[in-house]
Amino acid sequence: MSATVYFSPVITPEKVLDMFRLVDKTLPGNIAIKLHSGEKGNQNFLGPEFWKPVIDYVGGTVVECNTAYDGARNTTEKHRKLMDEHGWSRCFTVDLLDAEGPDLELDIPNGKVIQKNFVGKDLKNYDSMLVLSHFKGHPMGGYGGALKQLSIGVASSYGKAYIHGAGVPEDIWTAEHDSFLESMADAASSVVNFFHGNMIFINVMKNMSVDCDCCAVAEDPCMADMGILVSTDPIAIDQACIDLVYSCDDPGKAHFLERVESRNGVHTIEAAAALGFGSREYTLVKVD
């Protein structure tokens, strides 16, 4: 079934809110707002000022999880300090979902690689989720968008290692690559199922480096900013972003696509579509 993806080439904080309002969907109850807090030293992540209009309008809680690698976000104490330094906790109510254990375990009965997902236990306090994604490249996944936010992003520190290791946390950096990508799709499906589809996704194609916001030392953007997309389908919105990159004439796209293709990044979308929690087929509705 084809999804609807709204797209605007205008990128401003106010336009993010305008695009959110286009979606004919109400997020019920307590709303988790998943975004990327940005690794210390990263120059490309989208900060609180950019997201403030839509977060204030929705009135939810900004949620994040600790990382599984060394850095400024791999412990609760360090991550909370960085959330303050980056302005998140000064602007919004913030919840580190895995600040304290034990993790919440989500079943994935139809998972291709993993049959369970470990997320921060505080996820159970929320009824719906707004996923705010900065679309860019990624050193391992090829690209980062809505599906990465749902999988690696919502996973606890242990859960991140579990996904990266394709079910074997000790293999976090050495697991078979496509199995890692398929594990991301499996994990993403469990979060969509947890919220019974009460989700809205916004991808912003800005500051498009080949590196993720999790990189303390990241390449500068290699492409011009392209726009804002919004949908209720996480698979369609990521596919639309990839298609926009392929169809543009930006001279930097070859470098960006080398990162995507060398990591087989589209396979995450393929694996997610095979699980049936969204569609690669979509109608792109352009908004001025």
Side-chain angles (χ1 to χ4, degrees), residues 184-200:
M184 280 207 293
D186 290 341
S189 73
S190 73
V191 178
V192 172
N193 290 337
F194 177 83
F195 285 113
H196 306 289
N198 290 315
M199 312 183 84
I200 295 175

Side-chain angles (χ1 to χ4, degrees), residues 37 49 59 88 96 99 198 204 282:
S37 53
E49 296 80 10
W88 300 110
L96 283 181
N198 290 315
V204 177
Y282 63 92

Side-chain angles (χ1 to χ4, degrees), residues 158-277:
Y158 175 81
K160 288 175 170 62
Y162 191 85
I163 295 168
H164 267 284
V168 183
E170 295 76 18
D171 294 346
I172 180 171
W173 308 125
T174 57
E176 196 275 324
H177 188 72
D178 279 2
S179 293
F180 153 60
L181 300 178
E182 291 160 2
S183 295
M184 280 207 293
D186 290 341
S189 73
S190 73
V191 178
V192 172
N193 290 337
F194 177 83
F195 285 113
H196 306 289
N198 290 315
M199 312 183 84
I200 295 175
F201 304 90
I202 300 177
N203 283 9
V204 177
M205 303 179 76
K206 177 180 172 66
N207 298 347
M208 287 193 292
S209 167
V210 297
D211 288 327
C212 181
D213 297 342
C214 55
C215 300
V217 179
E219 270 195 28
D220 287 333
C222 62
M223 296 183 65
D225 298 344
M226 295 187 70
I228 300 169
L229 297 88
V230 62
S231 182
T232 58
D233 188 320
I235 299 172
I237 197 170
D238 278 8
Q239 183 68 62
C241 288
I242 293 289
D243 291 345
L244 284 168
V245 173
Y246 272 103
S247 64
C248 79
D249 57 5
D250 190 298
K253 82 172 185 180
H255 183 52
F256 189 92
L257 289 173
E258 189 280 331
R259 173 59 58 91
V260 176
E261 293 171 354
S262 66
R263 272 66 168 181
N264 198 19
V266 174
H267 188 55
T268 306
I269 298 175
E270 295 171 341
L275 292 170
F277 63 94

Side-chain angles (χ1 to χ4, degrees), residues 6 8 37 41 59 94 129 154 161 178 182 186 210 236 240 288:
Y6 296 96
S8 173
S37 53
V94 172
M129 179 175 276
V154 176
D178 279 2
E182 291 160 2
D186 290 341
V210 297
D288 293 330

